Every structure is written in C-alpha cells, then in structure tokens.
Amino acid sequence: MQTDIIIAGFGGQGVLFAGQLLAYAGLGEGKEVTWIPSYGPEMRGGTANCTVIIADEEIGSPMVRNPQAVIAMNRPSLDKYEPLMRPGGLLVVNASMVDRKVKRTDLRVVEVPANEIAESLGDKRMTNMVLLGSLIANLPIIQLTSIETALKEHLPERHHRLLPQNYQALAKGAELLAA
Amino acid sequence: MARELWKGNEAIAEAAVRAGCQAYFGYPITPQTELLEYMSRRMPELGRAFVQAESELGAVNMVYGAACTGVRVMSSSSSPGVSLMMEGISYIAGTEVPAVLVDVMRGGPGLGNIAPAQADYNQIVHGGGHGDYYPIVLAPASVQEAVDLTVLAFDLAEKYRSVTVVLLDGSLGQMMEPAEMPPMQPLKKEFPAWATRGAENRERRMLSSIYLNPPDQEVTNLRLLRRWKEVEANEVRFKTYYLEDAEYVVMGFGSAGRVALSAVRAARAEGIKVGLLRPITVSPFPVQAVDAAVRQCKAGLVVEMNAGQMLEDVLRVNNNRIPFEFFARMGGIVPFPDEILAEIRRLAQGKASLEGHPRDRWLERVAAQA
C-alpha cells in the first residue's frame, strides 16, 4: 500500500513545510515515508512543490507522474497537476488563489477558501495548515493528531505560542469534505 | 537510536561525524552543499577540523595531507567539483592512504545543471585519475543506506588503505527519509605504522606516490592489484528484489534502481515474473550476482541515469548469453516507473534482442518516439 501526495504553490506559501509535516506524521505512525522537493535555481515568488510518499513497504520511486492526491495552493499548480492526477484522486484546491473551477469530473475535489479561513483565525501564513487539515480529513491514511504531534515537535520552540491557532487551522480545514 | 527524518546530504554528514571523521575539507557546490554546511557547524562544535578550502583542488590536497596522519578524513562535492579533485585522488591512491569522498552527482558533462544524474559512474568506478588504481565505490539508494554506507566507507578505506567513494545522485542528497543514526564512535587514538605524525624518538617515515625507479613502482602496482583482489573477494554487496522465481531481470544502481523497483512491482501485479538486482558496491562490481541472474533469466534490462556506463560492465559479464535491453534518462532527468514498466513489458513480449548493442536499439526507440 502506497499513497503519493504532491503539494504545490508559490515559494513562501509553506509548501515544503506542509509536506515535511505529513512525512513526520507518517514516520510517527511507523510508516515508510519519502519527502522530495523540486529543487533548482529557485527564487522567492517562484513555484515550489514537493512529493510525499507514505507506504507500508520499502519505497521505490521517490517521484510520481500521476499522483493520488494534490494540494494546489495557486492557479499554476492547479493547471499543472489537474491533468496529471490519477482518476478518483483527491484534489484540494486553495479557492482563495484560484479563479477557475476544476474541470475534471473523475476526481474528488475540495475547494477551500484557505486564505480567508487562515486570516479569520488570525494569520494568513496558516493557509498551508488549513489545506493540510482538509487533505487529511479526506485521505484517511494519517491521523490528524499525528500532524498535531509533528507540528509540536518540529515547530521551533519560539513559535510554540502559535500552536493552538495552528491546531484550529488544521481542524477548520478538516471540516471541509469532498463532495 | 530512534528513526528520524533526515535530508540525504545532512544524514551523510552526521553519519561521517559518528564514524569518527576527524577532518573535513570541501568546497560548496549544489546539490551537495548541505553536507558541507552541516559539517561547518558540527565539526567545530566537536573540536574537529573543518576547512572550506579555496577550491576543490585545495580541498582534496588537504584531505591527502590529513590522510597521511592516519586520521579519518573526508571530502564531498558534486560532479564538476569531483573532476577537479581527480589528480589528488590518484595521488592518495598511489600513496596508499585511506580517504572517503562523497560525490552527489548532477547533470553534465561540463557545468551541466544541478538536477540528479548518474553520469560519473565511469569517472569514479573506472578511475578518473591517472594510473592503475581501484577505488571502492558504494552506491546508496535510500537515506538509510547512505548513512550505513558512509560508516562502511570509513571502515573499508582504512582496511584496504584505499580511496572509498560514496556515489549518489542529487535527488538522494535532497530528499528526506527516516534513518537511524549509528552510535557515536570515539575518535581514533591508535594509528597505523605508516602514519606520519611526528618522528620524535623513532625512525623517520616517508609517505609518497613517487617511485622514480620503475621496478619500485611496479612492485607498488602489484601490491595495489593484490589488495584489490582481496576487496573483490570480500566486499561485494548488492540487493535483490523478487528475483527468486524471476524469468526477467532488471539491473540498476542508486536512484535508477529504486525507481526500477516501483516498475518491477507494477509488472509483477500484471503477472510478469520479473526481479531486480541492485548493485550496492558498483566497485567491486557484483559479477557473480549478475552471472547468476543471467543463468536464471530469459532476458535482462539495465536502467541508468546516464548513457549506459554500468551497462558495459553488465554486458561483459553477460558475454552475449541472454538478450539485454537498455533504458535511460540523462542530463538531470529521473525516469518515472511507467517508462521502465513499458520496457519490462517489451522483455515479457519477447522483444529483447541479441543483435547489435542494447544502447543502439534504445537510441532507435528514442528516435522513433520523437
């Protein structure tokens, strides 16, 4: 059993950290995990993405052409990954940053106004947590509590006062289920 | 130790620290830089030597000097930087002192790019430096294996007074995976009889790669060759997957090998009896394992992220007994499993051939698709 997830967006949206949390959570549950970023001559505001694979056996290819699940944090990411997704896959879209509807009808889609939700909770930088919460609620391979544990263990100590807000962001996202 | 999530480059650095690496010399280059960066913090913290040299040439010669004192020493770089180190590697080999080098390969030739590739195989395995020498080359395919092989690299370098290279590609350097770190070994306190550490109250020792009298050089070369025969007899490592009942075999090292694993699983799900042989030591090459797979299987496939460099070593063992095919992505592109699966299906359809060279047939297939 293997689940592959791509998280994509602009640099600065917390794409890579959200992926790492997923990997830490998988590790915490005793699973095999691989996290691999796109890397290149990157710049702020450019595109960023990472692939996370969670499995119960030795992981082969660290990259996937046709992912089972995608978080698209902006329009270019949606345009890039929607056509590539495996039929029946889970597509979590940051509706705040995307000005079109999902075209494919063979996917499970969740449209999350993640920027607005994060702002209403006090900080737009938690957009990635809202989307991650929604992903986990719709893709029951990892417990939400494992994400919370990973966040607590890997957020620098000086930011720990922000933990309750981040838990709230995860929970808000988790309320949004695919149609 | 518990399993923790480590980035490949940093995991190798910490593994080297725990293996008792007392001195590190390097020069930054992507996609290897995190290794050097980690060492720049960690080594001084432990009171050990870290120097960012003025260039790769400086770094490798600092490694040479430190190696002569008998301590555990290492450098790391990526393809173009490793090219610059080749003169020093040959001198280290000729002087018979142990040193560890990590090459996190990127796209080339030339300046190329910073994406993952495996095109330094020939340079590293078949000797990019001059003269008759034989490096031990370890090719990890996961972060855990990179950790384990880094520790092993120090042990083997010392045991055989050899250059030992950990050879991986940029994707493995950049990825994060769970790994369990080895226990912290104490730094060496006893040094071999050849080590030059100051000659107070004893006879002077001399380490050099100069043998101006040719018969002396020949004796040295014979010693290197006999030592290499020992390495070949004792240090071959490889891993097989689904090979027990396989009718077809896929071979690939490092990342190409693990991508092939996904393809082999997918082919098995289609009922194709295919297995995988992944060399872990690419030098010494697992000749007997390749030979056994050739005896067992109807056809084979070699997958690499280069133009077929390991392929030639496989073909030498095969000696035209069974048909082999070849598949590669190059220049910084990592293959996807479905590309390899298509090649496995061709094998199962009996399309593998003994006519001509596998690389030429692959080139024809690439041209036909374009």
Side-chain angles (χ1 to χ4, degrees), chain B residues 191-210:
Chain B
F191 297 93
W194 50 258
T196 50
R197 305 179 55 82
E200 258 182 88
N201 306 319
R202 65 159 172 82
E203 221 172 297
R204 179 172 173 267
R205 292 171 189 162
M206 175 77 179
L207 284 171
S208 170
S209 71
I210 304 171

Side-chain angles (χ1 to χ4, degrees), chain B residues 55-126:
Chain B
S55 72
E56 287 86 349
L57 277 75
V60 75
N61 284 293
M62 290 174 192
V63 167
Y64 185 16
C68 289
T69 71
V71 301
R72 292 194 154 188
V73 54
M74 114 171 188
S75 184
S76 59
S77 190
S78 176
S79 309
V82 171
S83 290
L84 289 168
M85 293 184 174
M86 279 300 150
E87 182 193 47
I89 298 294
S90 173
Y91 278 57
I92 292 168
T95 308
E96 301 169 69
V97 287
V100 172
L101 172 69
V102 180
D103 179 3
V104 187
M105 294 179 281
R106 60 187 243 180
L111 203 50
N113 57 52
I114 61 175
Q118 296 184 318
D120 299 0
Y121 180 93
N122 275 344
Q123 182 183 39
I124 299 294
V125 169
H126 295 304

Side-chain angles (χ1 to χ4, degrees), chain A residues 8-38:
Chain A
F10 291 126
Q13 281 186 304
V15 165
L16 301 184
F17 184 63
Q20 285 178 2
L21 275 185
L22 204 50
Y24 279 120
L27 173 62
E29 293 189 14
K31 297 186 162 76
E32 294 300 327
V33 296
T34 293
W35 171 94
I36 189 164
S38 62

Side-chain angles (χ1 to χ4, degrees), chain A:
Chain A
M1 237 295 275
Q2 170 173 318
T3 307
D4 30 67
I5 302 136
I6 290 179
I7 306 179
F10 291 126
Q13 281 186 304
V15 165
L16 301 184
F17 184 63
Q20 285 178 2
L21 275 185
L22 204 50
Y24 279 120
L27 173 62
E29 293 189 14
K31 297 186 162 76
E32 294 300 327
V33 296
T34 293
W35 171 94
I36 189 164
S38 62
Y39 73 94
E42 310 285 8
M43 58 180 188
R44 190 162 65 168
T47 58
N49 72 69
C50 64
T51 303
V52 178
I53 298 178
I54 299 172
D56 48 24
E57 61 181 347
E58 181 177 339
I59 294 170
S61 176
M63 285 177 254
V64 288
R65 194 198 294 276
N66 306 114
Q68 287 165 283
V70 168
I71 297 179
M73 293 189 68
N74 60 12
R75 173 77 192 261
S77 304
L78 179 64
D79 291 346
K80 180 173 178 184
Y81 290 108
E82 183 185 349
L84 291 176
M85 289 187 63
R86 216 171 300 173
L90 172 70
L91 176 55
V92 180
V93 180
N94 181 7
S96 313
M97 297 290 286
V98 169
D99 56 1
R100 73 165 174 86
K101 288 283 172 190
V102 173
K103 293 172 195 154
R104 279 176 62 172
T105 53
D106 60 346
L107 301 174
R108 295 161 61 218
V109 178
V110 202
E111 292 176 325
V112 184
N115 288 26
E116 284 80 8
I117 293 175
E119 272 168 36
S120 75
L121 294 171
D123 198 329
K124 193 178 154 185
R125 285 175 297 178
M126 297 188 303
T127 304
N128 59 346
M129 292 299 108
V130 176
L131 292 163
L132 189 58
S134 184
L135 178 92
I136 294 300
N138 288 283
L139 194 72
I141 48 159
I142 293 284
Q143 300 291 321
L144 196 61
T145 50
S146 303
I147 299 278
E148 290 176 358
T149 307
L151 189 59
K152 192 174 174 187
E153 283 173 1
H154 298 283
L155 199 69
E157 196 84 35
R158 63 182 190 279
H159 294 316
H160 272 200
R161 62 190 164 76
L162 301 171
L163 278 174
Q165 274 175 292
N166 278 274
Y167 295 159
Q168 264 188 312
L170 285 165
K172 272 282 178 203
E175 287 172 10
L176 299 168
L177 298 180

Side-chain angles (χ1 to χ4, degrees), chain B residues 129-212:
Chain B
H130 56 282
D132 277 315
Y133 74 94
Y134 312 89
I136 298 169
V137 186
L138 311 173
S142 68
V143 174
Q144 181 68 65
E145 210 170 62
V147 166
D148 298 342
L149 293 181
T150 299
V151 177
L152 180 68
F154 283 98
D155 294 342
L156 294 182
E158 248 170 36
K159 186 172 178 190
Y160 297 102
R161 297 177 65 172
S162 168
V163 173
T164 301
V165 183
V166 181
L167 186 67
L168 61 150
D169 68 84
S171 71
L172 195 47
Q174 297 296 321
M175 79 167 58
M176 290 177 88
E177 282 188 325
E180 187 177 345
M181 281 293 157
M184 184 73 97
Q185 291 182 34
L187 291 182
K188 282 170 67 177
K189 291 210 175 64
E190 286 176 20
F191 297 93
W194 50 258
T196 50
R197 305 179 55 82
E200 258 182 88
N201 306 319
R202 65 159 172 82
E203 221 172 297
R204 179 172 173 267
R205 292 171 189 162
M206 175 77 179
L207 284 171
S208 170
S209 71
I210 304 171
Y211 298 94
L212 284 177

